[in-house]
Amino acid sequence: GQVRGRGRMRQPRRPADRHAAAPGRAVERGPKSSAHYDPPGPRARARNKAFGVLATFGIVALAGFNGYRFWATGQFESTKWQWLLYKDLQVQLLAALGATLAAFVVAAVLALVVGLLSAVGRLSEHWWLRPPAFAVVEFSRAIPLVVILFFLFYAAPQAGLKLGGFWWLVVSLTLYHGRVLAAVLRRGVLSVPRGHRAAAYVLGLRQ
């Protein structure tokens, strides 16, 4: 038979012994409950579903009311949308769309590079790399994107920096989204369990 007391064997199928029988699972995955909030109970789940249904109904009703007002005031009449048929305007809209997509692609690549370098700098063992990376992330983090756009577009040319509207937009998007990617990459590295990091150091990998 099984020994009672302290020497009792752990049974993984028993709820009381499930976590004790598999300590590695609790260490690797962590607790099931979040550190920021408790899992909702039956009443909270029902209340959240009710709020979701009411919010959906409200959004649909508001969209329907706006559509009705547009129709009642004649906003859907063809005469008010003929400006879209002008060829010059269509060319300008297509050119603006192409410039927007190009700025998005260039800024996405540069933001990934800036985010990676900032994350590596903040995680670096060299103390002289951490302050510049911290300054770049916190500077772009504390300023809204619109403020960065207006500053670079209007104030920077006054200081003699002239790159053009396209590149100022790319620089603004790079700074703003680079700090987001830096935080994501940094937290991803820090979320690696300590045992995995220790094993990587044993294998000769550096931080």
Side-chain angles (χ1 to χ4, degrees):
Q2 299 179 1
V3 180
R4 298 182 180 273
R6 292 185 178 181
R8 183 175 62 84
M9 296 179 61
R10 303 290 184 179
Q11 299 294 329
R13 295 185 179 181
R14 295 185 57 181
D17 299 339
R18 186 172 301 163
H19 298 290
R25 184 179 307 171
V27 173
E28 298 296 334
R29 297 185 179 179
K32 292 184 179 179
S33 61
S34 175
H36 301 285
Y37 63 91
D38 295 329
R43 293 183 178 179
R45 289 196 296 269
R47 185 168 57 250
N48 293 340
K49 290 181 180 179
F51 288 157
V53 172
L54 292 177
T56 302
F57 177 78
I59 294 174
V60 172
L62 181 61
F65 175 76
N66 290 334
Y68 168 75
R69 291 301 303 167
F70 273 105
W71 175 80
T73 55
Q75 299 299 322
F76 294 127
E77 295 180 359
S78 60
T79 55
K80 294 187 177 182
W81 296 92
Q82 289 183 354
W83 56 274
L84 290 175
L85 301 178
Y86 298 152
K87 184 177 180 180
D88 294 339
L89 180 60
Q90 294 176 357
V91 172
Q92 293 179 5
L93 290 176
L94 291 177
L97 177 61
T100 302
L101 294 178
F104 161 74
V105 173
V106 177
V109 176
L110 294 179
L112 181 60
V113 175
V114 171
L116 180 61
L117 294 178
S118 301
V120 172
R122 294 197 65 181
L123 294 171
S124 176
E125 296 178 350
H126 304 287
W127 65 268
W128 52 273
L129 287 177
R130 291 193 294 269
F134 177 82
V136 170
V137 172
E138 293 301 323
F139 172 79
S140 58
R141 182 179 182 179
I143 303 178
L145 178 59
V146 177
V147 176
I148 299 176
L149 283 170
F150 273 87
F151 176 79
L152 294 179
F153 191 79
Y154 291 105
Q158 300 296 329
L161 300 176
K162 298 181 180 180
L163 293 179
F166 175 82
W167 288 107
W168 283 133
L169 176 60
V170 169
V171 171
S172 302
L173 294 175
T174 300
L175 292 175
Y176 186 78
H177 294 288
R179 59 94 178 175
V180 177
L181 294 176
V184 171
L185 295 174
R186 178 173 174 269
R187 294 309 304 175
V189 173
L190 293 178
S191 65
V192 176
R194 184 177 300 177
H196 291 183
R197 284 183 284 177
Y201 297 153
V202 171
L203 293 176
L205 299 179
R206 297 183 301 175
Q207 183 175 359

